[in-house]
Amino acid sequence: QVQLAESGGGLVQPGGSLRLSCAAPGSIFSINTMGWYRQAPGKQRELVATINSGGRTNYYADSVKGRFTISRDNSKSTVNLQMNSLKPEDTAVYYCNVVTTSFRIYWGQGTQVTVSS
């Protein structure tokens, strides 16, 4: 099963920053949308941000607007999530997501982000 490779999670104090990165293997072709989801304990997985193949941002969850920035490098099939001004409620497992032009969906294994003093 093909999985995306995520990195960059960890423990950070409120107000701090983290940068998540995700790389799609070369076996995944025709990537369209790339994005990040998160799942907090006891809650459903929610969409955080997406970016389309042209590099324009499609969506930010209201809870992260103005604090998170999504970007991608099509030449490397990577997507990043810069997270600033982190809050305890941002604590969750963050999952990278890729959707191809043929609507195949791939996920990363998840990376833990904990915001706590």
Side-chain angles (χ1 to χ4, degrees), residues 39-85:
Q39 187 167 17
K43 295 187 177 181
Q44 290 188 334
R45 190 173 296 190
E46 64 172 350
L47 177 59
V48 176
T50 62
I51 187 167
N52 69 6
S53 59
R56 294 188 302 274
T57 305
N58 291 114
Y59 174 84
Y60 283 114
D62 287 342
S63 58
V64 307
K65 283 181 181 177
R67 301 186 298 121
F68 291 11
T69 302
I70 190 170
S71 61
R72 66 188 282 174
D73 184 336
N74 290 334
S75 67
K76 299 178 181 178
S77 297
T78 57
V79 61
N80 301 305
L81 187 68
Q82 178 65 41
M83 306 185 294
N84 298 328
S85 302

Side-chain angles (χ1 to χ4, degrees), residues 6-25:
E6 300 158 346
S7 62
L11 172 65
V12 64
Q13 292 186 342
S17 298
L18 281 176
R19 183 178 177 86
L20 304 183
S21 296
C22 172

Side-chain angles (χ1 to χ4, degrees), residues 31-43:
I31 294 174
N32 188 7
T33 302
M34 305 183 84
W36 291 91
Y37 286 71
R38 68 186 181 186
Q39 187 167 17
K43 295 187 177 181

Side-chain angles (χ1 to χ4, degrees), residues 97-100 103-107:
N97 170 272
V98 161
V99 182
T100 70
F103 303 106
R104 298 190 74 170
I105 301 172
Y106 299 89
W107 292 95

